[in-house]
Amino acid sequence: MYMRFSALVPVAALAAVAAAAPDALEARNGGSSSCDTGTIQCCNQTFTQGSSQLTALLGLLGITIPNVAGLVGYQCSPIVGTNTCTQQPVCCTGNTYNGLIIVGCSPITIGA
């Protein structure tokens, strides 16, 4: 009987941790569960403004973007419902260019 009880203790502890874990899309930037200034996006790649990689990419795509604060996201899609992001989740406030580039992004961490 003692062995069965001791086997249940770790299972109960894991269940308690899982129940207390945040939802998959809860952002952990200051406890906020949303992106208050824009939309939560999942980007395949992000660049800093003025980086040589971004300059080359924009040149290939024929896109001119304004100087804005934050990161520039490439190939981003909105995170909605229970979608997960295996790349870089960001909160973006800027414009989208040709559906490939979005400006004014800040990195966020979403729960697993």
Side-chain angles (χ1 to χ4, degrees):
M1 185 74 141
Y2 176 73
M3 291 189 70
R4 287 187 184 166
F5 176 73
S6 64
L8 291 177
V9 171
V11 173
L14 287 174
V17 169
D23 292 335
L25 294 179
E26 181 175 337
R28 294 186 186 193
N29 54 344
S32 175
S33 62
S34 66
C35 178
D36 296 334
T37 58
T39 59
I40 298 176
Q41 301 277 331
C42 182
C43 297
N44 285 337
Q45 198 165 5
T46 57
F47 301 96
T48 56
Q49 189 81 336
S51 73
S52 59
Q53 293 173 323
L54 178 63
T55 303
L57 178 64
L58 294 175
L60 288 172
L61 297 173
I63 298 173
T64 303
I65 61 172
N67 256 345
V68 293
L71 298 172
V72 176
Y74 174 63
Q75 290 184 329
C76 302
S77 58
I79 299 176
V80 293
T82 58
N83 289 355
T84 58
C85 180
T86 58
Q87 301 298 321
Q88 175 63 58
V90 291
C91 176
C92 299
T93 61
N95 293 330
T96 302
Y97 296 86
N98 291 354
L100 292 174
I101 302 290
I102 188 167
V103 297
C105 299
S106 301
I108 61 171
T109 303
I110 54 178

